[in-house]
């Protein structure tokens, strides 16, 4: 442990070329995430939030600026250098799962742990814990195509956490989930966060964002707000039930 | 609170404390517990309007207690309430007024207002999360009430985002 921040981004810029026209998606973002911190990124669609986390995970190449992960400069890495760094340190949950189609759910989840150097027994135990927490124990032997979208998304989260990565990056991890399944995901995120997991995720789901230590809001590729959530002022005799008011 | 009390009395006659307990038991922590004073004041008004009547029931060694029951008019009032569609949720118009008017007067800029409001909604959401955690998983009524409040908050946040996009 070096005490270096989990993420440090300096003046990060991403400009896409669309038919010869430059389209700026991220316009100079500075960001620092401490080890063990849980940061939620919010903003309207097109505000650059997905592009930002993709760059932080090396899945999209930055146009300019610097990215430091765990004290190591990462933006100058080659594709294979990024792949190695991700395998060692980063778990990523995509909006569209990217599960390996011809492997069982269990193998999908165990694979990153095995690649990361875990023993088969450790990998199996970790997989059993994660699938159990997400209510997917009975689906372990199934193929991804046999699962609903919501189930696949939870498998993608389990896979990202299999290797106990230093950093969990996620893009809308509850985007395809109904309320009940979202609850399982929230519980797991809260659980791993309490155990020290650093989490940076993009979400429009207020339930997810409200669990974060800090919320960063983007608009047009820039940070417009960044801060911890205030504690609500409670009326002296009140309960949180006061926020729920019935008519009648 | 008038109509919920009429509804409880339609089930069976009750005195004030019984009504208070029935509300608490049904809605759990998700409903701000009414104090007994409010309940008696409401019952008094309902009685004046002819929707309920009270009878004194003698008790040994204690003052008489008033047991309330629903009248025919009260029953009609309750039927009307149940039969008519309920107003949709109000739009957060007070915040919207601020958002539209404050910048015109130079009191505040929109970005600051939107950011502050977003943080406020998210901290309310966190309170609701904590409330849901503390609520008895068997109390479906309370949990649904909380979930409803969460969905409303989510809509408020989505709308806030739209305001931020559309208003310069």
């Amino acid at each position: 442990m070096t005490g270096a921040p989990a993420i440090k981004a300096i003046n990060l810029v991403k400009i896409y070329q669309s038919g010869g026209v430059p389209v700026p998606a991220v316009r100079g973002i500075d960001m620092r995430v401490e080890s063990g911190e849980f940061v939620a990124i919010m903003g309207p669609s097109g505000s650059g939030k997905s592009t930002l986390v993709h760059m932080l995970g090396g899945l999209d190449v930055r146009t300019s600026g610097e990215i430091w992960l765990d004290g190591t400069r990462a933006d100058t890495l080659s594709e294979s250098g990024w792949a190695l760094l991700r395998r060692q340190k980063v778990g990523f949950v995509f909006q569209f799962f990217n599960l390996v189609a011809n492997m069982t759910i269990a193998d999908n989840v165990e694979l990153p742990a095995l690649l990361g150097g875990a023993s088969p027994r450790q990998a199996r135990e970790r997989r059993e814990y994660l699938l159990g927490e997400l209510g997917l124990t009975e689906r372990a032997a199934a193929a991804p195509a046999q699962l609903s979208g919501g189930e696949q998304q939870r498998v993608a989260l389990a896979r990202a956490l299999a290797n106990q990565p230093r950093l969990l990056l996620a893009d809308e991890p509850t985007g395809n989930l109904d309320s009940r399944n979202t609850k399982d995901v929230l519980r797991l995120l809260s659980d791993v966060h309490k155990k020290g997991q650093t989490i940076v995720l993009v979400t429009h789901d207020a339930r997810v964002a409200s669990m974060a230590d800090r919320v960063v809001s983007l608009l047009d590729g820039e940070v417009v707000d960044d801060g911890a959530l205030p504690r609500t002022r409670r009326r002296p005799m009140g309960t949180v039930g006061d926020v729920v008011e019935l008519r009648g | 609170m008038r109509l919920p009390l009429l509804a409880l009395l339609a089930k069976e006659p009750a005195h004030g404390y019984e009504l208070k307990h029935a509300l608490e038991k049904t809605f759990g922590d998700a409903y701000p517990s009414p104090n007994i004073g409010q309940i008696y004041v409401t019952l008094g008004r309902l009685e004046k309007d002819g929707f309920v009547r009270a009878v004194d029931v003698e008790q040994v060694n204690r003052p008489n207690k008033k047991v309330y029951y629903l009248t025919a008019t009260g029953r009609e009032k309750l039927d009307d309430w149940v039969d008519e569609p309920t107003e949709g949720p109000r739009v957060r118009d007070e915040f919207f007024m601020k958002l539209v008017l404050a910048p015109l007067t130079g009191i505040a800029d929109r970005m600051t207002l939107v950011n502050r409001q977003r943080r406020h909604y998210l901290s309310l959401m966190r309170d609701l999360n904590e409330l849901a955690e503390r609520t008895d998983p068997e109390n479906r009524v309370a949990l649904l009430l909380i979930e409803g409040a969460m969905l409303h908050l989510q809509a408020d946040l989505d709308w806030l985002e739209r305001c931020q996009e559309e208003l310069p």
Side-chain angles (χ1 to χ4, degrees), chain A residues 219-234:
Chain A
L219 186 67
D220 292 334
E222 289 176 310
V223 175
V224 292
D225 193 27
D226 181 349
L229 300 179
R231 278 274 147 201
T232 48
R233 276 166 290 158
R234 310 252 166 86

Side-chain angles (χ1 to χ4, degrees), chain A residues 5 43 58 94 105 140 180 225:
Chain A
F94 298 88
I105 294 310
R180 196 173 321 169
D225 193 27

Side-chain angles (χ1 to χ4, degrees), chain A residues 2-31:
Chain A
T2 54
I7 299 178
K8 189 170 71 172
I10 303 168
N11 199 15
L12 209 52
V13 172
K14 176 71 188 181
I15 298 170
Y16 290 105
Q17 293 294 331
S18 172
V21 185
V23 181
V26 169
R27 309 164 183 250
I29 286 183
D30 293 318
M31 196 175 173

Side-chain angles (χ1 to χ4, degrees), chain A residues 42-45 179 183 186-187 204-212 215 217-219 224-232 234 239-248, chain B residues 1-4 27 29-32 81 86-88 90 111 115 118-120 122-131 134 145-147 149-150 154 157-158 161 164-165:
Chain A
M42 301 190 86
S45 55
S179 179
K183 231 182 279 172
L186 291 180
R187 201 176 310 121
H204 76 279
D205 187 329
R207 284 166 303 175
V208 179
S210 69
M211 288 175 43
V215 176
S217 299
L218 302 188
L219 186 67
V224 292
D225 193 27
D226 181 349
L229 300 179
R231 278 274 147 201
T232 48
R234 310 252 166 86
T239 67
V240 268
D242 289 352
V243 300
V244 183
E245 278 172 12
L246 284 184
R247 293 169 148 271
Chain B
M1 207 173 30
R2 288 164 64 93
L3 287 151
F27 294 103
D29 268 349
Y31 184 68
W81 180 57
T86 308
E87 275 308 304
R90 68 189 158 35
M111 196 70 90
N115 286 342
R118 185 193 305 105
R119 290 187 188 199
H120 179 64
L122 288 172
S123 63
L124 288 177
M125 186 62 96
R126 186 179 49 200
D127 288 351
L128 288 171
N129 271 331
E130 287 167 6
L131 181 62
R134 278 194 280 114
L145 192 54
I146 295 166
E147 189 173 338
M150 286 176 162
Q154 180 71 54
L157 271 158
D158 292 347
E161 209 163 69
Q164 192 166 35
E165 283 182 294

